[in-house]
Amino acid sequence: MKKTIAVIGAGGAMGSALSKSLAASGHHILLMDKDSEKCHKTYDSILSELPNADIEILNCIHEGSWEADVIIPAVAYEVQREIADYIKDVVTGKIVISLINPMNEDKSKLLTSPLSSAAEELQNYLPYSKVVKAFNTISPSDFKNISNADCFIAGDDEIAVATVSSLAKDSGMMPQLAGNLSASRTLEGMILILIQSCRKNNISESGCFKILIPKT
Amino acid sequence: MFDLLFENIERKIEITEEDKAFCKTLFIPKKLRKKQYLLQAGDIAEYVAFVNKGLLRSYSVDEKGEEHIIQFAPEDWWITDMNSFLTCEEAIYNIDALEDTEILLLDKPSQDKLFEHIPKFERYFRILIQASFVAMHKRLLSTITNTAEEKYMRMLKTYPDLVQRVPQHMIASFLGIKPETISRIRKKQASNS
């Protein structure tokens, strides 16, 4: 069934790309961003490409998360906790997708301890929600350009992982199950490799991963 | 958000603050807008829903596209497609919101968890199902034996608020009579009084 998906930070590069991708698969998308101008830009950009998209702008992330089946905080790592505290009472039992990569300013290392990850921290802040790591190893610029990109998905709740897998598949990606939520430690580190590789080749941040399986 | 649910529960069983805190970790808070679906026929009913605010209805659609309303669920009521929820078979009913609605959802795994941790909740749900069983049989009997007027008067007596709140054609659909019949009964009532 059609899902209501709240994207918090829909004005940012990742929020905007993911909103468009999910809207294209027919879901009802609630766009939210504290920068209203950016949020409207995302809204206009989606509608210009997909005139029938079921999207709308909401001003309150608490209200939006209450209404949603799936919540995606596409925000900076630094404000993850603040957002989680704010929506905590309305996301019990719901899927919260973690796509944050907790990098330092020059994007050379992760800010989380090697024994944790942004996704696991989010799960601690929202103990009664189903946090699933996904979409974090694909550059926002490549969401619409690369079809069949691998989308690594990690989570502890089987049904939630299956739901997010089907969202990824609907968006033209290839879901790859990466394991429990603790696999997020690996997934969040993968983006560093991608960024490093782009820098070496003097290209802007882009790209994604693809597992190649030998033919038998 | 949970006040009405806890009042409803406490009319049937006693629960502690600890029980309430546990409930809050299981129920999914959700808002639906007017006309939005909670369940569509053909899907599996994953949840039982408690209505905290607003109004839902369950209904089936026949081959001619006509809607037949099975149940209305205003505040303080529970609703689901029970057969689908219990057996995981495809739902035969649609459930949608007639007004902007706030609900608390409980899925099967969470309900099992609730029963396991606080066994008296089995008693709570047993009482709900008993009441629903009795009401359903009364409704069945009324449907097959009463005249249109008797059905409407019974509805007016049992659910006076609903009759005010819901469009006449939906009341007719719920009672299995034609909307024109209700107009006629209402006119007759008005001229009698």
Side-chain angles (χ1 to χ4, degrees):
Chain A
M1 200 165 103
K2 181 172 173 169
K3 296 223 175 292
T4 300
I5 303 174
V7 181
I8 301 170
M14 193 62 187
S16 160
L18 192 54
S19 300
K20 190 176 288 181
S21 183
L22 293 168
S25 11
H27 297 290
H28 179 210
I29 314 295
L30 308 174
L31 306 169
M32 290 168 278
D33 200 301
K34 64 177 192 305
D35 186 334
S36 138
E37 202 178 311
K38 277 188 176 173
C39 202
H40 277 89
K41 223 170 150 186
T42 299
Y43 180 85
D44 293 340
S45 140
I46 295 176
L47 279 190
S48 71
E49 267 183 57
L50 309 160
N52 295 323
D54 187 3
I55 59 171
E56 65 184 295
I57 294 174
L58 288 194
N59 294 321
C60 175
I61 63 168
H62 186 264
E63 199 67 17
S65 304
W66 193 350
E67 199 177 326
D69 303 301
V70 177
I71 297 95
I72 308 179
V75 296
Y77 172 60
E78 289 73 15
V79 296
Q80 167 170 273
R81 174 158 208 173
E82 193 189 325
I83 300 280
D85 285 344
Y86 198 64
I87 61 173
K88 195 174 184 170
D89 67 326
V90 291
V91 297
T92 302
K94 296 184 184 178
I95 296 171
V96 181
I97 298 180
S98 162
L99 38 78
I100 291 173
N101 288 313
M103 291 179 285
N104 63 347
E105 212 172 329
D106 74 352
K107 300 183 177 177
S108 61
K109 62 175 186 186
L110 294 180
L111 294 168
T112 40
S113 109
L115 294 176
S116 188
S117 59
E120 288 165 280
E121 288 177 7
L122 185 61
Q123 182 69 80
N124 284 336
Y125 304 146
L126 304 171
Y128 308 116
S129 301
K130 298 161 183 169
V131 174
V132 176
K133 190 84 205 174
F135 303 111
N136 73 305
T137 57
I138 303 165
S139 298
S141 59
D142 291 317
F143 257 77
K144 55 177 182 185
N145 302 328
I146 299 177
S147 63
N148 270 325
D150 278 346
C151 176
F152 296 97
I153 298 167
D156 295 336
D157 186 285
E158 229 173 274
I159 297 169
V161 166
T163 304
V164 176
S165 295
S166 72
L167 289 180
K169 209 169 172 186
D170 291 349
S171 303
M173 298 164 200
M174 180 69 76
Q176 296 284 3
L177 303 190
N180 290 338
L181 196 60
S182 59
S184 305
R185 299 167 199 177
T186 308
L187 299 184
E188 290 173 13
M190 284 164 70
I191 199 71
L192 298 175
I193 302 171
L194 208 55
I195 290 172
Q196 210 174 47
S197 154
C198 290
R199 283 182 184 166
K200 272 190 187 149
N201 291 294
N202 278 322
I203 51 171
S204 59
E205 278 172 31
S206 55
C208 60
F209 290 87
K210 185 86 204 154
I211 294 180
L212 299 173
I213 297 166
K215 283 180 190 153
T216 48
Chain B
M1 196 187 291
F2 282 85
D3 291 353
L4 193 62
L5 174 65
F6 291 150
E7 275 173 37
N8 185 298
I9 294 169
E10 283 174 325
R11 283 200 297 272
K12 296 169 181 76
I13 57 171
E14 271 180 36
I15 49 170
T16 63
E17 287 307 311
E18 207 180 315
D19 295 338
K20 288 182 187 177
F22 187 66
C23 283
K24 285 183 181 176
T25 70
L26 295 179
F27 280 88
I28 305 168
K30 170 98 179 129
K31 277 191 174 194
L32 292 175
R33 304 203 192 164
K34 189 175 175 175
K35 293 189 178 167
Q36 201 178 342
Y37 285 105
L38 172 65
L39 174 71
Q40 284 182 283
D43 290 341
I44 311 287
E46 283 177 67
Y47 310 104
V48 283
F50 178 80
V51 183
N52 192 43
K53 199 172 155 188
L55 178 62
L56 297 175
R57 63 164 176 164
S58 58
Y59 63 100
S60 70
V61 181
D62 67 20
E63 289 147 358
K64 292 179 201 153
E66 213 170 310
E67 294 175 356
H68 303 277
I69 297 177
I70 305 301
Q71 189 199 337
F72 294 107
E75 294 84 6
D76 206 24
W77 282 63
W78 287 89
I79 191 167
T80 186
D81 181 318
M82 198 46 97
N83 179 53
S84 175
F85 180 74
L86 293 175
T87 63
C88 288
E89 283 171 20
E90 288 181 3
I92 48 174
Y93 301 140
N94 301 284
I95 300 178
D96 67 3
L98 296 178
E99 299 170 2
D100 287 348
T101 298
E102 277 176 35
I103 45 181
L104 290 165
L105 302 171
L106 190 65
D107 62 21
K108 200 84 188 45
S110 295
Q111 195 187 40
D112 290 342
K113 220 179 193 179
L114 187 62
F115 291 162
E116 195 183 317
H117 278 70
I118 316 174
K120 59 192 161 192
F121 267 93
E122 288 205 10
R123 175 177 153 82
Y124 170 69
F125 279 98
R126 194 241 315 145
I127 295 170
L128 284 184
I129 288 172
Q130 266 174 214
S132 148
F133 184 83
V134 169
M136 202 171 71
H137 274 266
K138 281 188 182 161
R139 174 155 147 71
L140 177 65
L141 188 66
S142 167
T143 303
I144 56 182
T145 60
N146 288 7
T147 64
E149 189 168 352
E150 284 165 344
K151 283 184 209 171
Y152 180 72
M153 296 315 288
R154 180 176 173 267
M155 172 96 190
L156 205 56
K157 202 176 140 194
T158 325
Y159 308 111
D161 299 340
L162 264 183
V163 178
Q164 298 301 319
R165 205 163 156 185
V166 172
Q168 190 167 304
H169 70 91
M170 289 194 189
I171 299 289
S173 162
F174 178 76
L175 295 175
I177 59 183
K178 291 201 166 66
E180 306 86 84
T181 312
I182 293 193
S183 302
R184 195 165 41 77
I185 297 169
R186 278 187 176 171
K187 250 183 224 158
K188 194 176 149 197
Q189 294 292 319
S191 66
N192 282 353
S193 59

mmCIF file of all heavy atoms in Angstrom, chain B residues 143-179:
data_model
loop_
_atom_site.group_PDB
_atom_site.id
_atom_site.type_symbol
_atom_site.label_atom_id
_atom_site.label_comp_id
_atom_site.label_asym_id
_atom_site.label_seq_id
_atom_site.Cartn_x
_atom_site.Cartn_y
_atom_site.Cartn_z
ATOM 1 N N THR B 143 -31.177 -6.547 11.029
ATOM 2 C CA THR B 143 -31.073 -6.453 9.572
ATOM 3 C C THR B 143 -32.053 -7.393 8.881
ATOM 4 O O THR B 143 -32.657 -7.032 7.879
ATOM 5 C CB THR B 143 -29.632 -6.787 9.119
ATOM 6 O OG1 THR B 143 -28.754 -5.891 9.787
ATOM 7 C CG2 THR B 143 -29.450 -6.641 7.623
ATOM 8 N N ILE B 144 -32.226 -8.600 9.436
ATOM 9 C CA ILE B 144 -33.075 -9.556 8.733
ATOM 10 C C ILE B 144 -34.537 -9.532 9.187
ATOM 11 O O ILE B 144 -35.388 -10.082 8.520
ATOM 12 C CB ILE B 144 -32.504 -10.999 8.787
ATOM 13 C CG1 ILE B 144 -32.280 -11.452 10.219
ATOM 14 C CG2 ILE B 144 -31.215 -11.116 7.983
ATOM 15 C CD1 ILE B 144 -31.671 -12.840 10.342
ATOM 16 N N THR B 145 -34.810 -8.882 10.316
ATOM 17 C CA THR B 145 -36.209 -8.920 10.781
ATOM 18 C C THR B 145 -36.887 -7.551 10.789
ATOM 19 O O THR B 145 -38.106 -7.492 10.603
ATOM 20 C CB THR B 145 -36.299 -9.508 12.215
ATOM 21 O OG1 THR B 145 -35.528 -8.679 13.088
ATOM 22 C CG2 THR B 145 -35.798 -10.929 12.282
ATOM 23 N N ASN B 146 -36.153 -6.478 11.021
ATOM 24 C CA ASN B 146 -36.808 -5.180 11.202
ATOM 25 C C ASN B 146 -37.176 -4.504 9.878
ATOM 26 O O ASN B 146 -36.542 -4.746 8.850
ATOM 27 C CB ASN B 146 -35.897 -4.230 11.977
ATOM 28 C CG ASN B 146 -35.795 -4.612 13.445
ATOM 29 O OD1 ASN B 146 -36.291 -5.648 13.862
ATOM 30 N ND2 ASN B 146 -35.143 -3.780 14.216
ATOM 31 N N THR B 147 -38.171 -3.650 9.962
ATOM 32 C CA THR B 147 -38.505 -2.817 8.804
ATOM 33 C C THR B 147 -37.485 -1.680 8.739
ATOM 34 O O THR B 147 -36.751 -1.429 9.705
ATOM 35 C CB THR B 147 -39.899 -2.179 8.970
ATOM 36 O OG1 THR B 147 -39.841 -1.287 10.098
ATOM 37 C CG2 THR B 147 -40.966 -3.211 9.182
ATOM 38 N N ALA B 148 -37.458 -0.995 7.594
ATOM 39 C CA ALA B 148 -36.517 0.115 7.425
ATOM 40 C C ALA B 148 -36.683 1.133 8.554
ATOM 41 O O ALA B 148 -35.712 1.614 9.126
ATOM 42 C CB ALA B 148 -36.737 0.776 6.068
ATOM 43 N N GLU B 149 -37.931 1.434 8.855
ATOM 44 C CA GLU B 149 -38.185 2.436 9.897
ATOM 45 C C GLU B 149 -37.682 1.968 11.258
ATOM 46 O O GLU B 149 -37.044 2.723 11.989
ATOM 47 C CB GLU B 149 -39.691 2.749 9.965
ATOM 48 C CG GLU B 149 -39.977 3.920 10.866
ATOM 49 C CD GLU B 149 -41.410 4.436 10.728
ATOM 50 O OE1 GLU B 149 -42.120 3.969 9.816
ATOM 51 O OE2 GLU B 149 -41.800 5.283 11.542
ATOM 52 N N GLU B 150 -37.941 0.697 11.562
ATOM 53 C CA GLU B 150 -37.463 0.162 12.849
ATOM 54 C C GLU B 150 -35.944 0.210 12.927
ATOM 55 O O GLU B 150 -35.368 0.550 13.963
ATOM 56 C CB GLU B 150 -37.947 -1.286 13.019
ATOM 57 C CG GLU B 150 -39.416 -1.400 13.399
ATOM 58 C CD GLU B 150 -39.988 -2.819 13.215
ATOM 59 O OE1 GLU B 150 -39.340 -3.639 12.520
ATOM 60 O OE2 GLU B 150 -41.052 -3.082 13.754
ATOM 61 N N LYS B 151 -35.305 -0.130 11.802
ATOM 62 C CA LYS B 151 -33.833 -0.107 11.776
ATOM 63 C C LYS B 151 -33.316 1.305 12.028
ATOM 64 O O LYS B 151 -32.386 1.515 12.805
ATOM 65 C CB LYS B 151 -33.322 -0.561 10.392
ATOM 66 C CG LYS B 151 -33.369 -2.042 10.161
ATOM 67 C CD LYS B 151 -32.749 -2.341 8.803
ATOM 68 C CE LYS B 151 -33.343 -3.594 8.199
ATOM 69 N NZ LYS B 151 -32.952 -3.814 6.825
ATOM 70 N N TYR B 152 -33.945 2.251 11.346
ATOM 71 C CA TYR B 152 -33.485 3.634 11.496
ATOM 72 C C TYR B 152 -33.712 4.141 12.923
ATOM 73 O O TYR B 152 -32.851 4.773 13.513
ATOM 74 C CB TYR B 152 -34.197 4.538 10.481
ATOM 75 C CG TYR B 152 -33.753 5.973 10.591
ATOM 76 C CD1 TYR B 152 -32.481 6.360 10.157
ATOM 77 C CD2 TYR B 152 -34.575 6.954 11.146
ATOM 78 C CE1 TYR B 152 -32.044 7.672 10.273
ATOM 79 C CE2 TYR B 152 -34.155 8.266 11.264
ATOM 80 C CZ TYR B 152 -32.889 8.621 10.828
ATOM 81 O OH TYR B 152 -32.464 9.919 10.949
ATOM 82 N N MET B 153 -34.879 3.829 13.492
ATOM 83 C CA MET B 153 -35.187 4.278 14.850
ATOM 84 C C MET B 153 -34.243 3.628 15.866
ATOM 85 O O MET B 153 -33.821 4.268 16.826
ATOM 86 C CB MET B 153 -36.646 3.948 15.218
ATOM 87 C CG MET B 153 -37.695 4.670 14.380
ATOM 88 S SD MET B 153 -37.339 6.418 14.144
ATOM 89 C CE MET B 153 -37.670 7.036 15.793
ATOM 90 N N ARG B 154 -33.873 2.382 15.600
ATOM 91 C CA ARG B 154 -32.948 1.689 16.492
ATOM 92 C C ARG B 154 -31.584 2.370 16.450
ATOM 93 O O ARG B 154 -30.924 2.598 17.459
ATOM 94 C CB ARG B 154 -32.844 0.213 16.043
ATOM 95 C CG ARG B 154 -31.919 -0.617 16.891
ATOM 96 C CD ARG B 154 -31.923 -2.087 16.487
ATOM 97 N NE ARG B 154 -30.905 -2.789 17.231
ATOM 98 C CZ ARG B 154 -29.664 -2.995 16.808
ATOM 99 N NH1 ARG B 154 -29.300 -2.565 15.629
ATOM 100 N NH2 ARG B 154 -28.786 -3.631 17.563
ATOM 101 N N MET B 155 -31.171 2.709 15.233
ATOM 102 C CA MET B 155 -29.892 3.403 15.035
ATOM 103 C C MET B 155 -29.901 4.751 15.764
ATOM 104 O O MET B 155 -28.947 5.125 16.445
ATOM 105 C CB MET B 155 -29.695 3.611 13.529
ATOM 106 C CG MET B 155 -28.517 4.475 13.154
ATOM 107 S SD MET B 155 -27.120 3.440 12.778
ATOM 108 C CE MET B 155 -25.824 4.657 12.681
ATOM 109 N N LEU B 156 -31.019 5.461 15.615
ATOM 110 C CA LEU B 156 -31.167 6.781 16.222
ATOM 111 C C LEU B 156 -31.071 6.685 17.745
ATOM 112 O O LEU B 156 -30.511 7.553 18.407
ATOM 113 C CB LEU B 156 -32.544 7.333 15.816
ATOM 114 C CG LEU B 156 -32.741 8.849 15.792
ATOM 115 C CD1 LEU B 156 -31.732 9.520 14.891
ATOM 116 C CD2 LEU B 156 -34.150 9.175 15.287
ATOM 117 N N LYS B 157 -31.634 5.596 18.270
ATOM 118 C CA LYS B 157 -31.641 5.408 19.719
ATOM 119 C C LYS B 157 -30.273 4.958 20.225
ATOM 120 O O LYS B 157 -29.790 5.423 21.254
ATOM 121 C CB LYS B 157 -32.703 4.332 20.060
ATOM 122 C CG LYS B 157 -33.199 4.405 21.489
ATOM 123 C CD LYS B 157 -34.298 3.375 21.717
ATOM 124 C CE LYS B 157 -34.135 2.745 23.085
ATOM 125 N NZ LYS B 157 -34.926 1.537 23.248
ATOM 126 N N THR B 158 -29.662 4.040 19.474
ATOM 127 C CA THR B 158 -28.382 3.475 19.937
ATOM 128 C C THR B 158 -27.222 4.447 19.698
ATOM 129 O O THR B 158 -26.332 4.577 20.527
ATOM 130 C CB THR B 158 -28.090 2.146 19.209
ATOM 131 O OG1 THR B 158 -29.314 1.465 18.974
ATOM 132 C CG2 THR B 158 -27.193 1.243 20.039
ATOM 133 N N TYR B 159 -27.185 5.071 18.531
ATOM 134 C CA TYR B 159 -26.050 5.949 18.202
ATOM 135 C C TYR B 159 -26.539 7.326 17.757
ATOM 136 O O TYR B 159 -26.327 7.716 16.593
ATOM 137 C CB TYR B 159 -25.204 5.332 17.082
ATOM 138 C CG TYR B 159 -24.774 3.905 17.322
ATOM 139 C CD1 TYR B 159 -25.296 2.864 16.550
ATOM 140 C CD2 TYR B 159 -23.841 3.600 18.313
ATOM 141 C CE1 TYR B 159 -24.898 1.550 16.768
ATOM 142 C CE2 TYR B 159 -23.449 2.289 18.535
ATOM 143 C CZ TYR B 159 -23.985 1.258 17.751
ATOM 144 O OH TYR B 159 -23.597 -0.036 17.964
ATOM 145 N N PRO B 160 -27.194 8.072 18.663
ATOM 146 C CA PRO B 160 -27.761 9.374 18.251
ATOM 147 C C PRO B 160 -26.690 10.335 17.693
ATOM 148 O O PRO B 160 -26.955 11.054 16.732
ATOM 149 C CB PRO B 160 -28.386 9.917 19.543
ATOM 150 C CG PRO B 160 -27.809 9.126 20.657
ATOM 151 C CD PRO B 160 -27.414 7.801 20.101
ATOM 152 N N ASP B 161 -25.502 10.324 18.297
ATOM 153 C CA ASP B 161 -24.455 11.261 17.854
ATOM 154 C C ASP B 161 -23.993 10.947 16.437
ATOM 155 O O ASP B 161 -23.759 11.840 15.635
ATOM 156 C CB ASP B 161 -23.244 11.200 18.794
ATOM 157 C CG ASP B 161 -23.626 11.582 20.210
ATOM 158 O OD1 ASP B 161 -24.683 12.241 20.363
ATOM 159 O OD2 ASP B 161 -22.899 11.212 21.144
ATOM 160 N N LEU B 162 -23.860 9.640 16.157
ATOM 161 C CA LEU B 162 -23.395 9.227 14.830
ATOM 162 C C LEU B 162 -24.347 9.686 13.739
ATOM 163 O O LEU B 162 -23.921 10.131 12.676
ATOM 164 C CB LEU B 162 -23.272 7.710 14.774
ATOM 165 C CG LEU B 162 -21.907 7.102 15.022
ATOM 166 C CD1 LEU B 162 -21.974 5.602 14.843
ATOM 167 C CD2 LEU B 162 -20.861 7.696 14.077
ATOM 168 N N VAL B 163 -25.640 9.567 14.022
ATOM 169 C CA VAL B 163 -26.642 9.935 13.021
ATOM 170 C C VAL B 163 -26.491 11.420 12.659
ATOM 171 O O VAL B 163 -26.684 11.815 11.519
ATOM 172 C CB VAL B 163 -28.068 9.618 13.529
ATOM 173 C CG1 VAL B 163 -29.108 10.046 12.516
ATOM 174 C CG2 VAL B 163 -28.200 8.127 13.815
ATOM 175 N N GLN B 164 -26.109 12.223 13.644
ATOM 176 C CA GLN B 164 -25.878 13.646 13.390
ATOM 177 C C GLN B 164 -24.596 13.878 12.592
ATOM 178 O O GLN B 164 -24.488 14.811 11.810
ATOM 179 C CB GLN B 164 -25.739 14.411 14.727
ATOM 180 C CG GLN B 164 -26.955 14.374 15.616
ATOM 181 C CD GLN B 164 -28.181 14.953 14.918
ATOM 182 O OE1 GLN B 164 -28.071 15.972 14.232
ATOM 183 N NE2 GLN B 164 -29.325 14.300 15.059
ATOM 184 N N ARG B 165 -23.618 13.017 12.823
ATOM 185 C CA ARG B 165 -22.268 13.279 12.346
ATOM 186 C C ARG B 165 -21.998 12.761 10.937
ATOM 187 O O ARG B 165 -21.123 13.242 10.242
ATOM 188 C CB ARG B 165 -21.329 12.564 13.337
ATOM 189 C CG ARG B 165 -19.956 13.141 13.431
ATOM 190 C CD ARG B 165 -19.360 12.614 14.718
ATOM 191 N NE ARG B 165 -17.927 12.626 14.671
ATOM 192 C CZ ARG B 165 -17.166 12.132 15.636
ATOM 193 N NH1 ARG B 165 -17.712 11.576 16.695
ATOM 194 N NH2 ARG B 165 -15.855 12.187 15.533
ATOM 195 N N VAL B 166 -22.747 11.725 10.559
ATOM 196 C CA VAL B 166 -22.446 10.998 9.326
ATOM 197 C C VAL B 166 -23.476 11.358 8.253
ATOM 198 O O VAL B 166 -24.655 11.504 8.562
ATOM 199 C CB VAL B 166 -22.497 9.478 9.631
ATOM 200 C CG1 VAL B 166 -22.401 8.656 8.378
ATOM 201 C CG2 VAL B 166 -21.385 9.098 10.605
ATOM 202 N N PRO B 167 -23.051 11.527 6.982
ATOM 203 C CA PRO B 167 -24.014 11.835 5.926
ATOM 204 C C PRO B 167 -25.114 10.764 5.837
ATOM 205 O O PRO B 167 -24.858 9.581 6.078
ATOM 206 C CB PRO B 167 -23.183 11.824 4.644
ATOM 207 C CG PRO B 167 -21.765 11.868 5.057
ATOM 208 C CD PRO B 167 -21.677 11.420 6.483
ATOM 209 N N GLN B 168 -26.289 11.220 5.471
ATOM 210 C CA GLN B 168 -27.469 10.343 5.462
ATOM 211 C C GLN B 168 -27.273 9.098 4.579
ATOM 212 O O GLN B 168 -27.693 8.002 4.941
ATOM 213 C CB GLN B 168 -28.648 11.161 4.955
ATOM 214 C CG GLN B 168 -29.971 10.487 5.114
ATOM 215 C CD GLN B 168 -31.109 11.470 4.884
ATOM 216 O OE1 GLN B 168 -31.187 12.503 5.547
ATOM 217 N NE2 GLN B 168 -31.968 11.163 3.947
ATOM 218 N N HIS B 169 -26.592 9.288 3.434
ATOM 219 C CA HIS B 169 -26.444 8.135 2.535
ATOM 220 C C HIS B 169 -25.573 7.041 3.163
ATOM 221 O O HIS B 169 -25.696 5.865 2.847
ATOM 222 C CB HIS B 169 -25.894 8.578 1.163
ATOM 223 C CG HIS B 169 -24.465 9.028 1.173
ATOM 224 N ND1 HIS B 169 -23.421 8.169 0.947
ATOM 225 C CD2 HIS B 169 -23.917 10.236 1.403
ATOM 226 C CE1 HIS B 169 -22.283 8.840 1.020
ATOM 227 N NE2 HIS B 169 -22.556 10.100 1.295
ATOM 228 N N MET B 170 -24.683 7.451 4.077
ATOM 229 C CA MET B 170 -23.852 6.437 4.755
ATOM 230 C C MET B 170 -24.640 5.706 5.839
ATOM 231 O O MET B 170 -24.440 4.515 6.062
ATOM 232 C CB MET B 170 -22.612 7.094 5.359
ATOM 233 C CG MET B 170 -21.619 7.539 4.300
ATOM 234 S SD MET B 170 -20.049 7.912 5.046
ATOM 235 C CE MET B 170 -19.214 8.639 3.639
ATOM 236 N N ILE B 171 -25.516 6.439 6.507
ATOM 237 C CA ILE B 171 -26.399 5.786 7.487
ATOM 238 C C ILE B 171 -27.246 4.750 6.738
ATOM 239 O O ILE B 171 -27.418 3.616 7.181
ATOM 240 C CB ILE B 171 -27.321 6.817 8.187
ATOM 241 C CG1 ILE B 171 -26.495 7.865 8.945
ATOM 242 C CG2 ILE B 171 -28.322 6.118 9.106
ATOM 243 C CD1 ILE B 171 -25.800 7.385 10.178
ATOM 244 N N ALA B 172 -27.744 5.147 5.575
ATOM 245 C CA ALA B 172 -28.568 4.241 4.764
ATOM 246 C C ALA B 172 -27.760 3.004 4.380
ATOM 247 O O ALA B 172 -28.251 1.873 4.481
ATOM 248 C CB ALA B 172 -29.057 4.970 3.519
ATOM 249 N N SER B 173 -26.515 3.229 3.964
ATOM 250 C CA SER B 173 -25.649 2.119 3.564
ATOM 251 C C SER B 173 -25.405 1.175 4.745
ATOM 252 O O SER B 173 -25.426 -0.048 4.601
ATOM 253 C CB SER B 173 -24.328 2.672 3.030
ATOM 254 O OG SER B 173 -23.335 1.686 3.013
ATOM 255 N N PHE B 174 -25.222 1.754 5.926
ATOM 256 C CA PHE B 174 -24.996 0.960 7.137
ATOM 257 C C PHE B 174 -26.227 0.116 7.477
ATOM 258 O O PHE B 174 -26.116 -1.030 7.909
ATOM 259 C CB PHE B 174 -24.650 1.906 8.296
ATOM 260 C CG PHE B 174 -24.442 1.241 9.628
ATOM 261 C CD1 PHE B 174 -23.267 0.540 9.904
ATOM 262 C CD2 PHE B 174 -25.406 1.319 10.624
ATOM 263 C CE1 PHE B 174 -23.071 -0.066 11.142
ATOM 264 C CE2 PHE B 174 -25.214 0.710 11.869
ATOM 265 C CZ PHE B 174 -24.040 0.019 12.117
ATOM 266 N N LEU B 175 -27.400 0.691 7.245
ATOM 267 C CA LEU B 175 -28.632 -0.017 7.600
ATOM 268 C C LEU B 175 -29.135 -0.914 6.472
ATOM 269 O O LEU B 175 -30.058 -1.696 6.664
ATOM 270 C CB LEU B 175 -29.722 1.001 7.971
ATOM 271 C CG LEU B 175 -29.458 1.832 9.227
ATOM 272 C CD1 LEU B 175 -30.544 2.881 9.403
ATOM 273 C CD2 LEU B 175 -29.392 0.941 10.467
ATOM 274 N N GLY B 176 -28.523 -0.771 5.304
ATOM 275 C CA GLY B 176 -28.967 -1.579 4.173
ATOM 276 C C GLY B 176 -30.312 -1.116 3.626
ATOM 277 O O GLY B 176 -31.124 -1.931 3.179
ATOM 278 N N ILE B 177 -30.563 0.185 3.711
ATOM 279 C CA ILE B 177 -31.795 0.730 3.128
ATOM 280 C C ILE B 177 -31.430 1.884 2.194
ATOM 281 O O ILE B 177 -30.279 2.299 2.139
ATOM 282 C CB ILE B 177 -32.792 1.215 4.233
ATOM 283 C CG1 ILE B 177 -32.148 2.303 5.104
ATOM 284 C CG2 ILE B 177 -33.236 0.060 5.097
ATOM 285 C CD1 ILE B 177 -33.035 2.778 6.251
ATOM 286 N N LYS B 178 -32.439 2.381 1.457
ATOM 287 C CA LYS B 178 -32.145 3.444 0.493
ATOM 288 C C LYS B 178 -32.164 4.818 1.179
ATOM 289 O O LYS B 178 -32.964 5.036 2.088
ATOM 290 C CB LYS B 178 -33.205 3.426 -0.623
ATOM 291 C CG LYS B 178 -33.100 2.209 -1.523
ATOM 292 C CD LYS B 178 -33.788 2.495 -2.850
ATOM 293 C CE LYS B 178 -33.437 1.463 -3.892
ATOM 294 N NZ LYS B 178 -33.956 0.106 -3.555
ATOM 295 N N PRO B 179 -31.303 5.731 0.746
ATOM 296 C CA PRO B 179 -31.280 7.071 1.351
ATOM 297 C C PRO B 179 -32.655 7.744 1.296
ATOM 298 O O PRO B 179 -33.058 8.421 2.249
ATOM 299 C CB PRO B 179 -30.275 7.848 0.496
ATOM 300 C CG PRO B 179 -29.435 6.819 -0.168
ATOM 301 C CD PRO B 179 -30.274 5.598 -0.311
#
